[in-house]
Amino acid sequence: MEPVTSGAVAPARNAFREQQWREAHERYLVCARAVFERLGYHDATVADIVEAANGSRATFYAHFRDKADIAACLFERTLPAGAAIYRRVTEFPEPSRELVRGWLNEHVLGFWVHYRVEVEAVNHAMGADPSVAARHYQWIVGAARQLEPFFVAWTGADEQVGLTRASLLVLQLERLCYHWLVRGVEHDRERMLDILADLWFRELVLLRAGPPR
């Protein structure tokens, strides 16, 4: 699940300057998260982030294109954790509906709650910047690739079909969790877990079986 990186690229520096660059980059990300959590994405400004970081606009723009870009970079920090979650489901010796339900309950839903600030910010950023939306779709595909052990039978002309099916499964879960756990649309947790477990278990079985012949 490789991040699609920001347009800002660190120029070649000696080791000390490179460390300074990385520390400044991280400071802006940490402060951006705090500002987005306090003010919300729409009300937050680059000036708010710069002030929180005790930095300058020139330094900000040396690292990020704009507010949407820093929101995207902030979300990219969650990608390793997201990848680990999807890999976990491939480690079941033999998937069952009960194991899938437990995975959803213990790992997936917790991820969305823990990273709600990052998720909220990047969803707003997608609406403001088409390039962030494009990056987001690549993140979805990257997550789907973690499920590759389930679609190894999809080869040749069917390989893209298998990946697309897995991507749609991830995208459906991502959209539901955003509206439910981040935006606060009410759902009965146990009922929703039952529905998601049915959908995921059925689709994982179909993916593993390979394309219909």
Side-chain angles (χ1 to χ4, degrees), residues 34-130:
V35 170
F36 290 148
E37 185 172 29
R38 176 167 54 89
L39 300 178
Y41 179 84
H42 283 303
D43 289 337
T45 65
V46 169
D48 293 322
I49 297 170
V50 168
E51 181 180 4
N54 195 27
S56 69
R57 294 180 72 89
T59 303
F60 176 92
Y61 287 114
H63 289 262
F64 310 100
R65 290 195 309 271
D66 50 26
K67 184 173 72 170
D69 187 37
I70 196 172
C73 292
L74 186 63
F75 183 78
E76 283 172 345
R77 298 199 313 170
T78 75
L79 297 184
I85 286 173
Y86 287 105
R87 281 197 301 272
R88 185 180 294 271
V89 78
T90 70
E91 297 169 359
F92 298 147
E94 186 61 38
S96 66
R97 182 188 178 281
E98 290 69 30
L99 284 173
V100 170
R101 192 183 191 281
W103 167 72
L104 289 161
N105 185 42
E106 183 178 356
H107 300 287
V108 175
L109 302 192
F111 173 89
W112 290 95
V113 172
H114 183 74
Y115 292 111
R116 61 178 181 78
V117 173
E118 291 86 345
V119 172
E120 176 79 2
V122 81
N123 272 270
H124 286 301
M126 283 192 286
D129 186 341

